[in-house]
Amino acid sequence: DKNPFQWMILSFQKMYISFVFREFDILKHLAEKYFHVRFKPWTMTFVLSVQRFYGGLVSFWLYRQSGDSIWAERGHEAKLALSKWTESSQWNYQNKFYLLEAEDQYSNNDIENAKSSYTKAILSAREHKFINEEALACELAGYFYLSIDDKSTAVDYFTQAHEKYHEWGAFSKTSKLYEFVQSEFRFMHRESTQNSLQINAQNDLNQGVSKRLSDH
């Protein structure tokens, strides 16, 4: 019960799920718990890098929402770590660094550089075959553009994110994102975007039904 590595993994998984599904109300509590139990498993660098990556993304989001500088410091710590790892393996870490850079710039209202960094993160994830992280970069770019009132670009990025999450097989996430886009952009007459999301949403439903039938 007191294995620190198990507690770290459990705390991270709860924080990660809350972040992916944008459950901000409980995210801060879970993030504080994760950072409290976190330690450095030197034999498991890749595990640590994934945790640093998502911990940094969570931190920058919490900083924008709370203004508490401790979250900015944690985000910068994660970005520094990914910068160092990128020097040894661009394939595994470059896109992660670019996305942390974009979120940092977003947090500091560095709009033009943030636009460039989101694009770099998406292209790097695509080049290095990280479909899930390409989806995530598109989604976060969507929230960024929404925050600066560029709704047309935002909905385009959300559509790309939906398509990549669908390709990855994250059907619960595509459903959540579809609901968000429908709610946020219901006033926009973007028929092609709406049709794309509806087609993917229906495919998600069909695959879910097929899986349930095959399990019986």
Side-chain angles (χ1 to χ4, degrees):
D1 292 340
K2 296 183 178 181
N3 185 318
F5 182 71
Q6 288 181 342
W7 274 112
M8 182 183 70
I9 292 295
L10 179 61
S11 298
F12 171 76
Q13 290 294 339
K14 289 181 177 180
M15 180 186 74
Y16 167 78
I17 292 170
S18 180
F19 173 73
V20 167
F21 287 98
R22 311 297 287 179
E23 298 168 340
F24 182 79
D25 291 343
I26 63 172
L27 180 62
K28 185 176 180 181
H29 169 72
L30 295 173
E32 287 174 339
K33 190 172 183 180
Y34 164 70
F35 279 101
H36 177 71
V37 302
R38 187 188 64 171
F39 70 102
K40 297 180 180 180
W42 62 271
T43 58
M44 304 185 70
T45 300
F46 188 75
V47 171
L48 176 61
S49 69
V50 172
Q51 292 187 6
R52 280 292 182 90
F53 174 52
Y54 282 100
L57 295 178
V58 167
S59 294
F60 284 128
W61 188 23
L62 289 174
Y63 173 60
R64 290 196 297 272
Q65 297 297 319
S66 69
D68 188 341
S69 62
I70 186 63
W71 295 110
E73 293 171 9
R74 288 167 174 167
H76 292 150
E77 178 185 326
K79 190 177 77 169
L80 178 61
L82 266 297
S83 176
K84 292 179 179 179
W85 285 324
T86 298
E87 293 175 1
S88 63
S89 177
Q90 289 191 4
W91 187 280
N92 285 319
Y93 303 120
Q94 184 187 66
N95 71 293
K96 298 174 178 64
F97 169 74
Y98 282 146
L99 190 54
L100 286 171
E101 180 88 313
E103 288 287 287
D104 186 11
Q105 290 160 343
Y106 172 18
S107 299
N108 288 285
N109 205 35
D110 188 357
I111 302 302
E112 293 306 315
N113 282 326
K115 290 178 180 179
S116 175
S117 294
Y118 281 116
T119 299
K120 289 178 181 178
I122 292 165
L123 294 178
S124 179
R126 185 177 303 159
E127 178 183 358
H128 299 136
K129 314 302 181 185
F130 291 104
I131 296 174
N132 58 320
E133 291 172 12
E134 181 182 351
L136 177 61
C138 289
E139 181 185 5
L140 296 185
Y143 294 124
F144 162 73
Y145 278 98
L146 186 60
S147 76
I148 62 173
D149 205 33
D150 186 346
K151 295 181 174 63
S152 178
T153 303
V155 77
D156 287 340
Y157 274 116
F158 285 132
T159 302
Q160 292 179 52
H162 191 279
E163 291 172 352
K164 288 299 174 180
Y165 280 128
H166 181 271
E167 182 180 345
W168 189 43
F171 302 134
S172 294
K173 177 63 181 179
T174 58
S175 295
K176 282 286 187 180
L177 189 57
Y178 174 74
E179 292 170 4
F180 170 79
V181 171
Q182 286 290 89
S183 174
E184 191 70 28
F185 299 99
R186 60 182 178 274
F187 58 88
M188 293 183 67
H189 299 290
R190 296 295 299 272
E191 185 176 352
S192 62
T193 295
Q194 185 180 42
N195 288 344
S196 175
L197 293 174
Q198 286 176 336
I199 290 169
N200 282 343
Q202 186 60 51
N203 288 341
D204 294 348
L205 177 61
N206 292 341
Q207 291 188 39
V209 170
S210 297
K211 184 179 186 302
R212 286 196 293 273
L213 291 174
S214 67
D215 289 341
H216 289 79

